[in-house]
Amino acid sequence: MCGFVGAFDLDSGSQPIGEGLREELRAQVLEMSKKIRHRGPDWSGIYTGDNAILSHERLSIVDPLSGKQPLVSDDNKIILAANGEIYNHKELRESFKGKYNFRTGSDCEVVIPLYKECLAGGGDFAAMIEKLSGIFAFALYDSEHDSYLIARDEIGVIPLYQGWDKNGRYYVASELKALEGECVSIEEFPNGSYLYSGGESLPLARTALLTTPSNGGHPRNAPASPIRWYKRPWESYDAVKAAPRATDDKGEIINPSVIEKVRNGLEAAVKAQLMSDVPYGVLLSGGLDSSIIAAITQKYSKKRVETDSKEGAWWPQLHSFAVGLEGSPDLIAAQKAADYIGTVHHEVHFTIQEALDALPDVIYHIETYDITTVRASTPMYLLARVIKSMGIKMVLSGEGSDELFGGYLYFHKAPNAQEFHEELVRKMSKLHLYDCLRANKSLMAWGVEGRVPFLDKDFIDIAMGLNPSDKMNIKIEGPSSASGTTSQRIEKWILRKAFEDLLPESIAWRQKEQFSDGVGYSWIDTLKKMAEEKVSDAEFARRENRFPVNPPKTKEEYYYREIYSRLFPSDSAAKCVPHEAGVACSTAKALEWDAAWKNMDEPSGRAISGVHDKAY
């Protein structure tokens, strides 16, 4: 996990930029790159070419000694700046034996021979990127063809932004803050997409003229827009409605192989993501998802996965981390899970005042004013600092499970299987705006890499390909949880069943608790009370004048927006933040499921009356 800034000044048929301007742009890019050095405190590197500059800030996880970036191809013609991890890099390396001479042990270097192979074969970049299993964003510059390729992983676990300066130059950066102040227009680079600037001779390359002129008044050639490379059949309900079911309509198991497939798929994902040459740990909130990831990680942590378990682990004891207010639900549950799993467990306590003091720094790093994200990012930001102080550079986390299995409590109100599945698809398409953004940027604020096995590409296909009826909270007879009987099956039942033997019963069947709730209910209650006190009725009444782009819907959002606008004043930055009504982390569409939600806009899980044990 790292950070990079790329600047491209490609003018079709023009001469390379002059030496003086090149040095000026180099200095500018270096300053931009310094703004994201928290993402990569281990090394800095820069490439300066005739029409492209790539600056990289490195967090060394794989091949710490020789894998510094930007990476350069064996023929010195291709330059790569990458952020993230390619988990199947060893298999890909094997396929290029005798065809390409690798210069480093970096997992990201495989992108270069893949690109060369793709270019020689006609330019099917979608097929090329599909071969990568991992979390990534990269900028590749081909000096021979004076072209670039930008790409981002399927879900958008790794952040990526694009922008244009007043002269029409094109920039990409790992965080928005690197572009703010230099670019007149900034957008998030879409997840699951790529952008290629090459000529029309390649079948999948599209070019168009930017309207912004260059210094000389000439328009620049650039791709019209990113092209979607990630497409899946399960995006349509028709593709999954007839999938084999694990249970019948009464909740009785009729096909245990479906449950076994879920277990085997997630275990394979966790094992692949243990690739590391530095100390790693697990985040353990005590909820189902993080506890499953911790339990599977413990299963493989005694050996190095890179050597097929022939070597003992470099760091044989697995450390787990939980954060919360004193006596919070998560801390209590996390200790139970850790004792059962056998991790070396660390509780990190914070006070509400410490969290309030950190809010401006948190918003600066996460680059959003979304209420849910700010609430949850603050304790994670504080936790990351402690993790880094202990020498841990990578942690595995449970993000993505709720979107794959319908874990949020509002899913209890889904009217039918089709609505349930289509909401999952909507949630998956927005993960990069919320949970993935929070997990990545909160941790990377302190140079800690977060990995998310639930969002492994192959496991996503398994989970999203399940029959939606197996994931729904269907009405059943008899007990459905360890706590007693109920007429409705507990959320994420199939996932719980797949891993119940690895966890204490009280954890395996614990009700969903959103992270910002679980760290201590008084945290959210205090934020709402503080916002009411700090934002006057008169200020809130004028919110559309103060913030014409995405006017805040609540005083809490107004308070965060004030902080955000001081840090990121441009309208482009404001537009990069999602702005959608919802309840308990739902999309706006799901508000139609319950008439009582029509006028609600509260992301806490406690908003779901009749479902959450401690609903408002």
Side-chain angles (χ1 to χ4, degrees):
M1 196 77 71
C2 310
F4 65 82
V5 176
F8 302 95
D9 196 40
L10 278 58
D11 231 336
S12 182
S14 68
Q15 296 297 316
I17 59 177
E19 183 67 28
L21 178 57
R22 184 161 57 248
E23 286 305 308
E24 180 183 329
L25 288 173
R26 185 181 190 276
Q28 173 190 310
V29 169
L30 280 173
E31 288 302 312
M32 297 167 72
S33 191
K34 285 179 183 178
K35 294 180 181 180
I36 57 172
R37 189 156 291 167
H38 52 274
R39 295 186 65 86
D42 296 335
W43 198 264
S44 299
I46 188 167
Y47 162 84
T48 307
D50 288 338
N51 290 319
I53 300 172
L54 293 174
S55 180
H56 190 270
E57 307 293 339
R58 187 177 188 223
L59 178 66
S60 53
I61 303 292
V62 176
D63 188 23
L65 296 180
S66 70
K68 62 184 180 181
Q69 297 192 37
L71 298 164
V72 180
S73 63
D74 56 356
D75 59 6
N76 298 316
K77 294 178 180 179
I78 298 169
I79 299 88
L80 174 72
N83 179 5
E85 305 290 345
I86 308 300
Y87 301 125
N88 63 336
H89 75 106
K90 287 202 168 186
E91 298 94 312
L92 291 172
R93 280 173 175 264
E94 282 295 314
S95 69
F96 289 106
K97 269 190 174 181
K99 304 176 186 177
Y100 177 84
N101 297 315
F102 285 90
R103 288 183 160 184
T104 74
S106 169
D107 54 290
C108 294
E109 191 178 354
V110 295
V111 172
I112 294 175
L114 280 173
Y115 168 80
K116 296 177 75 171
E117 179 184 68
C118 176
L119 202 66
D124 189 348
F125 294 113
M128 167 203 153
I129 301 167
E130 183 68 56
K131 293 179 181 179
L132 300 173
S133 176
I135 50 177
F136 57 84
F138 64 78
L140 180 150
Y141 177 61
D142 183 341
S143 62
E144 182 178 17
H145 298 95
D146 198 26
S147 59
Y148 57 80
L149 175 66
I150 315 296
R152 189 179 183 193
D153 70 64
E154 58 271 12
I155 299 301
V157 175
I158 303 300
L160 186 63
Y161 295 84
Q162 59 184 346
W164 296 262
D165 70 10
K166 62 183 179 181
N167 296 307
R169 298 185 190 92
Y170 178 61
Y171 296 79
V172 289
S174 297
E175 293 188 1
L176 183 151
K177 60 179 63 68
L179 303 180
E180 180 76 350
E182 297 292 347
C183 292
V184 295
S185 178
I186 303 171
E187 301 171 358
E188 185 179 25
F189 192 94
N191 59 300
S193 300
Y194 75 87
L195 190 64
Y196 180 65
S197 68
E200 295 184 6
S201 59
L202 295 178
L204 296 184
R206 297 185 292 131
T207 61
L209 296 180
L210 287 176
T211 56
T212 308
S214 67
N215 282 332
H218 302 293
R220 301 178 183 278
N221 271 336
S225 60
I227 299 170
R228 184 82 177 164
W229 68 265
Y230 183 65
K231 299 176 183 178
R232 287 296 186 269
W234 51 254
E235 292 174 306
S236 167
Y237 173 68
D238 288 340
V240 300
K241 64 182 182 182
R245 289 189 58 177
T247 65
D248 59 20
D249 291 337
K250 295 181 180 180
E252 296 293 328
I253 296 175
I254 57 175
N255 192 352
S257 65
V258 175
I259 300 172
E260 185 179 359
K261 186 176 182 180
V262 171
R263 175 160 177 151
N264 292 342
L266 187 57
E267 288 193 350
V270 172
K271 184 178 181 182
Q273 295 190 22
L274 293 181
M275 172 187 78
S276 177
D277 293 329
V278 299
Y280 64 81
V282 290
L283 301 185
L284 182 58
S285 69
L288 175 70
D289 308 328
S290 65
S291 298
I292 288 174
I293 298 301
I296 300 173
T297 302
Q298 179 73 311
K299 181 176 178 179
Y300 294 110
S301 64
K302 298 294 186 284
K303 301 285 186 179
R304 272 181 60 76
V305 298
E306 293 90 338
T307 55
D308 297 323
S309 299
K310 294 175 183 176
E311 291 182 14
W314 292 0
W315 297 275
Q317 286 190 292
L318 180 64
H319 291 249
S320 58
F321 299 87
V323 64
L325 300 171
E326 191 80 42
S328 69
D330 275 4
L331 290 181
I332 296 170
Q335 188 63 60
K336 289 180 182 177
D339 290 343
Y340 191 91
I341 295 168
T343 60
V344 180
H345 189 60
H346 309 277
E347 277 191 6
V348 177
H349 300 159
F350 70 94
T351 67
I352 288 178
Q353 188 58 57
E354 287 171 334
L356 293 176
D357 290 344
L359 276 175
D361 289 335
V362 171
I363 292 173
Y364 174 74
H365 281 287
I366 65 176
E367 303 175 325
T368 184
Y369 47 84
D370 172 70
I371 290 177
T372 312
T373 309
V374 174
R375 288 176 176 179
S377 294
T378 305
M380 183 170 271
Y381 171 86
L382 296 172
L383 175 62
R385 190 172 192 176
V386 175
I387 292 172
K388 187 58 179 286
S389 74
M390 294 182 62
I392 302 290
K393 297 179 71 173
M394 183 273 279
V395 291
L396 286 83
S397 185
E399 271 74 27
S401 172
D402 292 316
E403 287 74 15
L404 291 171
F405 293 95
Y408 294 110
L409 298 185
Y410 76 90
F411 275 98
H412 280 255
K413 301 294 184 74
N416 54 58
Q418 182 168 352
E419 287 278 351
F420 185 97
H421 181 75
E422 289 176 352
E423 175 69 359
L424 290 182
V425 174
R426 286 191 291 271
K427 288 294 292 181
M428 291 295 292
S429 72
K430 298 173 185 289
L431 257 174
H432 64 289
L433 301 172
Y434 300 102
D435 290 41
C436 288
L437 179 150
R438 165 182 53 79
N440 181 275
K441 293 182 180 178
S442 298
L443 294 169
M444 289 299 287
W446 299 105
V448 177
E449 175 183 289
R451 296 184 184 175
V452 284
F454 277 107
L455 297 178
D456 171 84
K457 187 165 59 175
D458 291 338
F459 185 70
I460 290 173
D461 288 342
I462 291 173
M464 290 300 290
L466 294 173
N467 191 304
S469 297
D470 278 337
K471 296 191 278 188
M472 288 186 69
N473 313 108
I474 61 173
K475 302 286 185 180
I476 59 174
E477 298 178 2
S480 67
S481 73
S483 59
T485 62
T486 180
S487 61
Q488 197 166 25
R489 188 164 64 186
I490 193 169
E491 64 279 351
K492 296 187 287 193
W493 174 89
I494 192 169
L495 183 64
R496 298 172 189 273
K497 194 66 181 174
F499 291 98
E500 63 179 345
D501 64 311
L502 295 185
L503 303 173
E505 188 178 42
S506 61
I507 300 298
W509 300 98
R510 182 189 177 198
Q511 186 181 56
K512 164 67 182 174
E513 194 77 84
Q514 288 170 208
F515 182 62
S516 52
D517 287 325
V519 297
Y521 296 141
S522 58
W523 167 233
I524 289 178
D525 296 340
T526 299
L527 286 172
K528 294 166 74 173
K529 182 175 182 292
M530 178 197 66
E532 284 293 328
E533 295 171 350
K534 289 187 175 292
V535 179
S536 69
D537 292 341
E539 285 176 314
F540 190 64
R542 296 192 296 271
R543 61 190 181 278
E544 292 188 7
N545 295 327
R546 175 73 178 86
F547 301 112
V549 175
N550 295 342
K553 299 184 292 294
T554 67
K555 285 189 175 182
E556 186 181 356
E557 185 183 358
Y558 188 105
Y559 181 75
Y560 302 151
R561 182 66 178 278
E562 281 278 14
I563 298 172
Y564 183 89
S565 64
R566 293 195 297 269
L567 299 168
F568 309 103
S570 72
D571 286 349
S572 283
K575 292 176 181 177
C576 287
V577 178
H579 200 250
E580 180 180 22
V583 59
C585 293
S586 76
T587 67
K589 176 69 175 175
L591 293 177
E592 300 172 5
W593 293 353
D594 192 316
W597 297 347
K598 184 176 180 181
N599 297 314
M600 290 182 67
D601 188 15
E602 173 51 60
S604 170
R606 288 184 289 157
I608 306 299
S609 178
V611 178
H612 195 285
D613 292 338
K614 296 187 178 180
Y616 293 125

